[in-house]
Amino acid sequence: MAALVPVITIDGPAASGKGTVARLLAQYLGFNCLDSGKIYRAAGMLALQSNLALDDEADMLYLAGTLVKNEATLSSLMQSPNIGDEAVGAAASQLAAIAGVRAALLPLQRTQLRPPGLVADGRDMGTVVFPDAVLKVFLTADINERARRRWQQLQECGMHGTMKDIFLDLRRRDEQDSCRAQSPLRAAADSLRIDSTQCTPEELASQLAKDFIARCSFSPFCFPQGD
Ligand code: C5P
């Protein structure tokens, strides 16, 4: 039997720091990294560019299918300088509520699972996409701190926005992501719940690397199972 590939999932609301922690953790462990939000954002961006109504389920299903079949389009959208825009995040959040869109994008996320391991961040990584993850984290932070972080990120990218607008966007997106029927933002029952308000991403990532290594000694998902 082939070796099983270990997964670490980090879920949480927007701007909770999960993307930065996931990248650092992947770097520390030499693992691959999946930012699943970017896939939903790419779909949101394509819908905006194509002037499609985000609540038209048939159009959104077609669009998700097109993205899955066109790797080059997906990758160029994911690398667009505007992928982090709030408008793109809001569009992503709207189409992410459609069951068929989520079903179409699910296999694409799972194909990112390659040796030696994967750190995946998003909203449903631990609950739906990788339910067998060795370590599941649910990362939160105070909403004022999240708004401050997002504001700083926008400044660094030369984009602008008032703290009040960012706060309201985050609150709207939290509500939309948590209240939807399909794969709502929710901590997996077996996840570690961490509040990142007072921690640096470096502190968190190195603590999680230690937790992962400790868990690995007990998990069949960390070791080859023989040929
Ligand atoms: O993580 P990020 O803020 O980039 O995600 C953008 C949007 O994509 C989220 O607000 C959420 O609605 C959607 N998303 C999702 N499931 C994921 C990742 C992102 O529904 N696994």
Side-chain angles (χ1 to χ4, degrees):
M1 192 165 69
L4 295 172
V5 181
V7 186
I8 301 172
T9 59
I10 307 184
D11 290 306
S16 55
K18 58 191 187 312
T20 313
V21 173
R23 275 191 301 278
L24 284 170
L25 184 55
Q27 229 175 60
Y28 294 165
L29 296 169
F31 280 11
N32 302 296
C33 198
L34 165 66
D35 175 351
S36 62
K38 266 198 181 166
I39 297 178
Y40 286 94
R41 280 174 177 270
M45 187 181 272
L46 187 58
L48 293 176
Q49 285 173 354
S50 318
N51 269 324
L52 293 175
L54 295 157
D55 56 358
D56 185 319
E57 290 204 18
D59 277 359
M60 291 307 107
L61 286 186
Y62 179 76
L63 180 140
T66 307
L67 264 191
V68 170
K69 281 184 238 128
N70 290 284
E71 216 176 297
T73 308
L74 175 65
S75 139
S76 100
L77 285 163
M78 285 173 71
Q79 285 165 38
S80 156
N82 302 113
I83 194 79
D85 286 5
E86 275 309 308
V88 174
S93 178
Q94 203 173 331
L95 59 80
I98 301 172
V101 168
R102 303 198 73 85
L105 299 179
L106 184 65
L108 184 65
Q109 296 168 72
R110 290 195 173 139
T111 57
Q112 306 304 310
L113 181 52
R114 288 188 290 259
L118 179 72
V119 183
D121 84 85
R123 302 293 186 289
D124 60 344
M125 296 295 100
T127 48
V128 176
V129 183
F130 300 112
D132 294 325
V134 176
L135 175 61
K136 298 181 187 179
V137 178
F138 192 77
L139 200 58
T140 56
D142 176 79
I143 187 161
N144 291 301
E145 172 60 11
R146 291 196 280 131
R148 192 198 62 76
R149 289 176 187 170
R150 180 49 53 89
W151 179 83
Q152 199 172 343
Q153 261 173 7
L154 290 177
Q155 295 283 310
E156 283 163 11
C157 303
M159 293 190 261
H160 301 285
T162 67
M163 195 71 95
K164 185 175 171 211
D165 286 344
I166 294 170
F167 178 94
L168 293 175
D169 279 340
L170 285 180
R171 207 169 56 182
R172 198 166 27 242
R173 205 133 64 83
D174 282 356
E175 194 176 317
Q176 195 157 281
D177 291 345
S178 309
C179 298
R180 68 187 179 209
Q182 305 300 325
S183 308
L185 169 65
R186 176 160 306 161
D190 52 350
S191 62
L192 274 184
R193 293 160 203 235
I194 300 177
D195 184 328
S196 75
T197 311
Q198 311 281 352
C199 322
T200 67
E202 289 78 10
E203 283 166 349
L204 263 178
S206 66
Q207 184 55 51
L208 290 174
K210 285 182 203 148
D211 287 353
F212 169 74
I213 290 162
R215 276 174 193 228
C216 252
S217 2
F218 301 102
S219 172
F221 284 87
C222 296
F223 294 104
Q225 301 294 298
D227 294 321

